[in-house]
Amino acid sequence: MSAHDPLKDKDGNPLIQRYTANDRSNHWITAICFVLLAVSGLAMFHPATSWMAVFLGGGQWTRILHPFLGVVMFVSFSVLVMRFWHHNKIDQADKQWMKQIGDVLTNREDRLPKIGMYNAGQKILFFVLIASMVGLLLSGIVIWRAYFAFYFPIDVVRFAALLHAFSAFVLICSIIVHIYAAFWVKGSIGAMVRGTVTYGWARKHHPRWFESVIKKQRD
């Protein structure tokens, strides 16, 4: 199949590419880092969850690897932000979508304004993730004892520790919402695994994006 041939599933039905291989690998690197950081962070946060240190080879390795994994996640997430920033600008349709949140929750998508690549909820989550990641990076640098903590007064380090815990809490809750929404809208996980969605899925959940893709294909 050449690069210009239409994408099709095993039954010959046409597909639309939603995410490239680079998009997907970038997403899964960020996701894997998040899981490792969440369990290692919880291991250091409270004795009741200290057993989670086993995922990074024990307490000592957890303390060593956690901040480095944090840097990798931030860099990977920053690449995702650059890739999808232009799709996450709030527009008039998003404002109307938020006003009709009742229709969203009751799955009456036919009453909603035409949605682009992402809906308003996804866009808000996008910016919450950015704020959480920035908070984690800045506070993490301050409390990174091996390299930076001794440059800061103890009060600043204590505040940074609180900010780090708060940012982590917001991030974990946001990712739980993200995962729930992915299961709620059937086909979303498949899009990030295979990179493609059906015409029906795109037309139903993201009609404005679907129309723009079809227009480009015709042009």
Side-chain angles (χ1 to χ4, degrees):
M1 181 180 290
S2 71
H4 299 288
D5 289 333
L7 295 167
K8 294 182 179 181
D9 65 12
K10 59 183 177 60
D11 298 318
N13 300 312
L15 298 171
I16 295 177
Q17 184 177 60
R18 186 160 172 83
Y19 299 112
T20 66
N22 285 338
D23 293 336
R24 301 196 304 276
S25 60
N26 194 180
H27 172 273
W28 291 115
I29 288 171
T30 306
I32 291 168
C33 286
F34 165 78
V35 172
L36 293 175
L37 284 162
V39 296
S40 58
L42 287 169
M44 293 184 287
F45 183 74
H46 195 275
T49 51
S50 60
W51 61 270
M52 291 185 179
V54 69
F55 290 104
L56 287 183
Q60 189 64 25
W61 276 111
T62 294
R63 286 188 290 274
I64 293 171
L65 294 176
H66 182 85
F68 287 104
L69 282 170
V71 173
V72 173
M73 182 176 72
F74 184 85
V75 172
S76 180
F77 179 74
S78 296
V79 175
L80 275 178
V81 169
M82 289 187 285
R83 285 178 184 276
F84 298 111
W85 179 268
H86 63 291
H87 290 300
N88 284 278
K89 296 177 181 177
I90 302 292
D91 56 29
Q92 195 60 42
D94 296 317
K95 295 175 183 177
Q96 184 60 37
W97 187 93
M98 287 185 277
K99 290 178 181 178
Q100 294 180 238
I101 193 65
D103 290 326
V104 174
L105 296 176
T106 52
N107 207 30
R108 295 194 291 262
E109 292 185 88
D110 55 303
R111 300 185 182 183
L112 298 171
K114 288 187 176 181
I115 300 300
M117 188 163 186
Y118 298 111
N119 61 44
Q122 292 170 310
K123 292 179 179 181
I124 292 171
L125 181 64
F126 177 77
F127 290 108
V128 171
L129 291 176
I130 291 175
S132 300
M133 290 283 190
V134 170
L136 284 168
L137 178 72
L138 296 178
S139 59
I141 289 173
V142 174
I143 62 175
W144 196 345
R145 295 188 181 280
Y147 299 102
F148 304 108
F150 51 82
Y151 288 116
F152 300 94
I154 188 62
D155 289 341
V156 174
V157 174
R158 287 171 177 167
F159 175 77
L162 288 174
L163 176 61
H164 201 74
F166 175 76
S167 299
F169 174 76
V170 172
L171 181 62
I172 290 171
C173 290
S174 300
I175 295 300
I176 290 173
V177 171
H178 176 59
I179 294 171
Y180 175 78
F183 280 103
W184 185 26
V185 180
K186 187 178 179 181
S188 299
I189 295 177
M192 190 51 76
V193 173
R194 296 184 299 271
T196 56
V197 295
T198 64
Y199 274 41
W201 186 95
R203 189 185 294 111
K204 176 178 173 60
H205 299 296
H206 301 273
R208 186 149 49 94
W209 172 72
F210 170 73
E211 291 169 3
S212 67
V213 171
I214 296 302
K215 185 177 183 298
K216 287 180 181 177
Q217 288 179 351
R218 290 172 178 169
D219 294 342

